[in-house]
Amino acid sequence: MLVCRSPKAVVGLLILATIAAAATMAPHLAPYPVTEMHPSDRFAPPGGKYALGTDFFGRDLLSRVLFGYRTSLLVAVMSVGFALVCGSALGMSAGYIGGALDTTLMRAMDILFAFPVLLLAITIVVVLGAGTLTTVLAIGIVYVPIFARIARAPTLVVREHAYVEAARALGQRTLRVIARHVLPNISTPIFVQATINLATAILFESALSFLGLGTQPPYPSLGLMVSEGRNYIELSPWPTVFPGLAIVLAVLSFNLVGDALQEILDPRLRQTWVSS
Amino acid sequence: MQRYLAQRLLLLIPVLFVISLLVFSLMHLIPGDPAQAILGFENTDPAQLAAVRRDLGLDRPVYVQYARWLGRLLTGNLGTSVRTGRPITTLVAEALPFTIELAVYSIALAVLIGIPAGTLAGTTSSRWADAGMQTLTLLGLSLPAFWVGAMFILLFSVYLRWFPVLTYTALLDAPLANLRGFFLPALTLAIPNAAAIARMVRASLVSVRREEYVKVARAKGLSEWRVVRAHMLKNALIPVVTLIGIVAGYLLGGAIVVEQVFAIPGVGRLGLQAIVQRDYPVLQAVVLVVTALFVLVNLLVDLIYVFLDPRIRYA
């Protein structure tokens, strides 16, 4: 496995696996119920009863970070999954069928691309109403054109290959040809793009939650925790510091894996350390 | 070139038209009655509701509303805020300079940080220096702007008191105080973009370092610095211009979060306030103006690209 030879990929995957395991096991690992308030322990510093301290309401930060990870990862995976499925289907259809369908679909994608991404996501959230599912849809819709473009370009090449023509000549239906012969041959760039987008999706989700347009209180989201903590940052920085660090760690792990995958697939990005 | 320019400018018309149609449609999909929002939810007098709807033109068919809105738009009239009653054109005109200054300032910082960092990573003969720079840039791409902004305020404004807290003066009134006030927000916005620029410069330099013309330059006995500056960087920087264009477009929309953290009265904050206050005509105008600017910036970048790289010929 080439991935295992890349230190970046190994480190990224290790962090990611730890975060994913912690998020999955959050109900068992969290020392306190996530919304439980301890008024006498407001703004407790890290250590002692509370490993990462407490927030304004005396809620345990470690428990909230663990559950916040659940929200972040869930939204990131679902939104990128949505974009991957819809975008790839549109891109492959446009590239394989071509003609008017290609022109119409890709111009529609161009229009979506014309909007600044965060602004488009915010507008979608305003239209649909704030909430976790809406955040998934908003981020997913914003990412659809990226996957459509990534899928379309190699489809144009693959559809001319002899094995695709042979499949067509055998009378296989378009959908079957796309699923059986085109998709497996264009999946690598789509997969790499998905890894990169998972990182930005976490940033997106946290930014929307920070603005009050994502996950709604009292359920924890890392962005929302930073937003709430910021109001009392002079009294105690920990409710702002730890959720932020948690976001950085998750995004960094996806970026490390995505970067390593890109280097493996495009060796030109690697420096050659032969004396020159 | 002139033909290309004319083509691109003509193409802008349908693009902007479709954007206006989409923005208008999206705003009409927002649940709730704008007339009810203006009157307040406790007021349910049907006569008053009907009067407000008539005043706003909401009793007309949607396509008539769109045509009237578009007609006003073409004369530079973005409508009136339903909350403050002020002309939206004025509100946007007041907010836009803050957003543009923030975007320009942060691009300048991103370029000042990103190009040297990328050059160092792309030309160094130390594996560790390259790996270190790559890790730093990945970290830069992983930082959420709202958190970095909050940390900067805490560290540099609250603890160290090096920068003023959330006070902004006009650029022309007090340039130094203005640049000082905007430094932390601009730096917050610049960090991920500097990282992206550094990665782009590094990738470009790595890909050109074995090109024939670089080998020739070295064979001529030029110093390594001269080879990098005059031969490698010159070509490596062309894709960076595209990236800066993309970044500029992103900043216009992405500044929303930083404007919110640093309480900068820019266009992004205007849009957010409009969401909170359900002032949808203002939100509609903000989305439209920012998207139109985004499209224009992208066009400008494409044109600069043609000037910079004579190999590009637009048929």
Side-chain angles (χ1 to χ4, degrees), chain B residues 193-213:
Chain B
N193 300 318
I197 290 172
R199 291 172 68 78
M200 174 73 87
V201 172
R202 178 197 171 271
S204 300
L205 286 174
V206 169
S207 69
V208 300
R209 66 189 277 180
R210 302 211 177 274
E211 292 281 342
E212 292 298 323
Y213 65 86

Side-chain angles (χ1 to χ4, degrees), chain B residues 126-186:
Chain B
S126 157
R127 183 193 293 256
W128 293 106
D130 184 39
M133 199 58 82
Q134 282 209 67
T135 310
L136 266 183
T137 54
L138 271 185
L139 186 65
L141 287 174
S142 309
L143 297 171
F146 56 88
W147 181 69
V148 174
M151 292 296 106
F152 277 175
I153 291 174
L154 181 70
L155 188 64
F156 297 114
S157 298
V158 176
Y159 288 158
L160 298 172
R161 298 187 186 279
W162 287 356
F163 293 93
V165 186
L166 317 177
T167 48
Y168 308 101
T169 49
L171 181 62
L172 294 177
D173 291 348
L176 278 179
N178 170 283
L179 292 178
R180 197 160 163 250
F182 270 98
F183 182 76
L184 289 182

Side-chain angles (χ1 to χ4, degrees), chain B residues 64-88:
Chain B
V64 176
Q65 291 181 43
Y66 174 69
R68 287 178 63 181
W69 177 68
L70 193 64
R72 284 203 306 264
L73 206 64
L74 292 174
T75 61
N77 179 359
L78 290 167
T80 312
S81 161
V82 293
R83 285 288 160 197
T84 61
R86 294 184 66 201
I88 298 171

